[in-house]
PDB file of all heavy atoms in Angstrom:
ATOM      1  N   GLU A1349      24.906   0.530  12.200  1.00  0.00           N
ATOM      2  CA  GLU A1349      25.965  -0.415  11.853  1.00  0.00           C
ATOM      3  C   GLU A1349      25.612  -1.804  12.360  1.00  0.00           C
ATOM      4  O   GLU A1349      25.253  -1.989  13.526  1.00  0.00           O
ATOM      5  CB  GLU A1349      27.297   0.023  12.463  1.00  0.00           C
ATOM      6  CG  GLU A1349      28.434  -0.902  12.082  1.00  0.00           C
ATOM      7  CD  GLU A1349      29.778  -0.434  12.602  1.00  0.00           C
ATOM      8  OE1 GLU A1349      29.819   0.381  13.548  1.00  0.00           O
ATOM      9  OE2 GLU A1349      30.785  -0.891  12.071  1.00  0.00           O
ATOM     10  N   SER A1350      25.665  -2.764  11.462  1.00  0.00           N
ATOM     11  CA  SER A1350      25.498  -4.188  11.774  1.00  0.00           C
ATOM     12  C   SER A1350      24.174  -4.529  12.452  1.00  0.00           C
ATOM     13  O   SER A1350      24.118  -5.396  13.318  1.00  0.00           O
ATOM     14  CB  SER A1350      26.668  -4.676  12.637  1.00  0.00           C
ATOM     15  OG  SER A1350      27.891  -4.456  11.975  1.00  0.00           O
ATOM     16  N   VAL A1351      23.103  -3.867  12.060  1.00  0.00           N
ATOM     17  CA  VAL A1351      21.769  -4.239  12.552  1.00  0.00           C
ATOM     18  C   VAL A1351      21.342  -5.428  11.702  1.00  0.00           C
ATOM     19  O   VAL A1351      21.051  -5.278  10.523  1.00  0.00           O
ATOM     20  CB  VAL A1351      20.759  -3.077  12.423  1.00  0.00           C
ATOM     21  CG1 VAL A1351      19.372  -3.522  12.887  1.00  0.00           C
ATOM     22  CG2 VAL A1351      21.232  -1.868  13.215  1.00  0.00           C
ATOM     23  N   ARG A1352      21.330  -6.601  12.293  1.00  0.00           N
ATOM     24  CA  ARG A1352      21.158  -7.833  11.513  1.00  0.00           C
ATOM     25  C   ARG A1352      19.729  -8.357  11.470  1.00  0.00           C
ATOM     26  O   ARG A1352      19.375  -9.108  10.580  1.00  0.00           O
ATOM     27  CB  ARG A1352      22.070  -8.921  12.068  1.00  0.00           C
ATOM     28  CG  ARG A1352      23.524  -8.525  12.153  1.00  0.00           C
ATOM     29  CD  ARG A1352      24.236  -8.734  10.832  1.00  0.00           C
ATOM     30  NE  ARG A1352      25.538  -8.112  10.789  1.00  0.00           N
ATOM     31  CZ  ARG A1352      26.654  -8.646  11.232  1.00  0.00           C
ATOM     32  NH1 ARG A1352      26.640  -9.826  11.791  1.00  0.00           N
ATOM     33  NH2 ARG A1352      27.792  -8.001  11.119  1.00  0.00           N
ATOM     34  N   ASP A1353      18.904  -7.998  12.429  1.00  0.00           N
ATOM     35  CA  ASP A1353      17.537  -8.511  12.474  1.00  0.00           C
ATOM     36  C   ASP A1353      16.619  -7.596  11.657  1.00  0.00           C
ATOM     37  O   ASP A1353      16.545  -6.387  11.906  1.00  0.00           O
ATOM     38  CB  ASP A1353      17.059  -8.598  13.926  1.00  0.00           C
ATOM     39  CG  ASP A1353      15.657  -9.168  14.013  1.00  0.00           C
ATOM     40  OD1 ASP A1353      15.531 -10.400  14.067  1.00  0.00           O
ATOM     41  OD2 ASP A1353      14.696  -8.362  14.010  1.00  0.00           O
ATOM     42  N   SER A1354      15.916  -8.176  10.711  1.00  0.00           N
ATOM     43  CA  SER A1354      15.046  -7.397   9.812  1.00  0.00           C
ATOM     44  C   SER A1354      13.934  -6.667  10.562  1.00  0.00           C
ATOM     45  O   SER A1354      13.602  -5.527  10.241  1.00  0.00           O
ATOM     46  CB  SER A1354      14.422  -8.315   8.755  1.00  0.00           C
ATOM     47  OG  SER A1354      15.419  -8.898   7.960  1.00  0.00           O
ATOM     48  N   GLY A1355      13.352  -7.321  11.552  1.00  0.00           N
ATOM     49  CA  GLY A1355      12.298  -6.678  12.338  1.00  0.00           C
ATOM     50  C   GLY A1355      12.824  -5.488  13.112  1.00  0.00           C
ATOM     51  O   GLY A1355      12.187  -4.435  13.168  1.00  0.00           O
ATOM     52  N   ASN A1356      14.012  -5.643  13.708  1.00  0.00           N
ATOM     53  CA  ASN A1356      14.629  -4.517  14.421  1.00  0.00           C
ATOM     54  C   ASN A1356      14.950  -3.382  13.458  1.00  0.00           C
ATOM     55  O   ASN A1356      14.747  -2.209  13.778  1.00  0.00           O
ATOM     56  CB  ASN A1356      15.912  -4.966  15.131  1.00  0.00           C
ATOM     57  CG  ASN A1356      15.634  -5.825  16.336  1.00  0.00           C
ATOM     58  OD1 ASN A1356      14.517  -5.901  16.826  1.00  0.00           O
ATOM     59  ND2 ASN A1356      16.663  -6.506  16.816  1.00  0.00           N
ATOM     60  N   MET A1357      15.452  -3.726  12.272  1.00  0.00           N
ATOM     61  CA  MET A1357      15.776  -2.708  11.271  1.00  0.00           C
ATOM     62  C   MET A1357      14.529  -1.893  10.935  1.00  0.00           C
ATOM     63  O   MET A1357      14.544  -0.664  10.937  1.00  0.00           O
ATOM     64  CB  MET A1357      16.339  -3.355  10.010  1.00  0.00           C
ATOM     65  CG  MET A1357      16.540  -2.391   8.856  1.00  0.00           C
ATOM     66  SD  MET A1357      17.804  -1.159   9.162  1.00  0.00           S
ATOM     67  CE  MET A1357      19.238  -2.171   8.994  1.00  0.00           C
ATOM     68  N   GLY A1358      13.428  -2.572  10.667  1.00  0.00           N
ATOM     69  CA  GLY A1358      12.194  -1.870  10.334  1.00  0.00           C
ATOM     70  C   GLY A1358      11.696  -0.985  11.462  1.00  0.00           C
ATOM     71  O   GLY A1358      11.254   0.140  11.246  1.00  0.00           O
ATOM     72  N   THR A1359      11.807  -1.484  12.687  1.00  0.00           N
ATOM     73  CA  THR A1359      11.365  -0.709  13.849  1.00  0.00           C
ATOM     74  C   THR A1359      12.223   0.539  14.039  1.00  0.00           C
ATOM     75  O   THR A1359      11.712   1.625  14.321  1.00  0.00           O
ATOM     76  CB  THR A1359      11.408  -1.587  15.121  1.00  0.00           C
ATOM     77  OG1 THR A1359      10.543  -2.708  14.907  1.00  0.00           O
ATOM     78  CG2 THR A1359      10.950  -0.809  16.340  1.00  0.00           C
ATOM     79  N   ILE A1360      13.524   0.400  13.859  1.00  0.00           N
ATOM     80  CA  ILE A1360      14.422   1.551  13.976  1.00  0.00           C
ATOM     81  C   ILE A1360      14.107   2.584  12.888  1.00  0.00           C
ATOM     82  O   ILE A1360      14.046   3.794  13.155  1.00  0.00           O
ATOM     83  CB  ILE A1360      15.902   1.116  13.899  1.00  0.00           C
ATOM     84  CG1 ILE A1360      16.264   0.288  15.132  1.00  0.00           C
ATOM     85  CG2 ILE A1360      16.820   2.320  13.767  1.00  0.00           C
ATOM     86  CD1 ILE A1360      17.600  -0.446  15.014  1.00  0.00           C
TER      87      ILE A1360
END
Side-chain angles (χ1 to χ4, degrees):
E1349 182 176 20
S1350 302
V1351 177
R1352 306 276 168 85
D1353 182 87
S1354 298
N1356 288 346
M1357 173 66 74
T1359 301
I1360 293 167

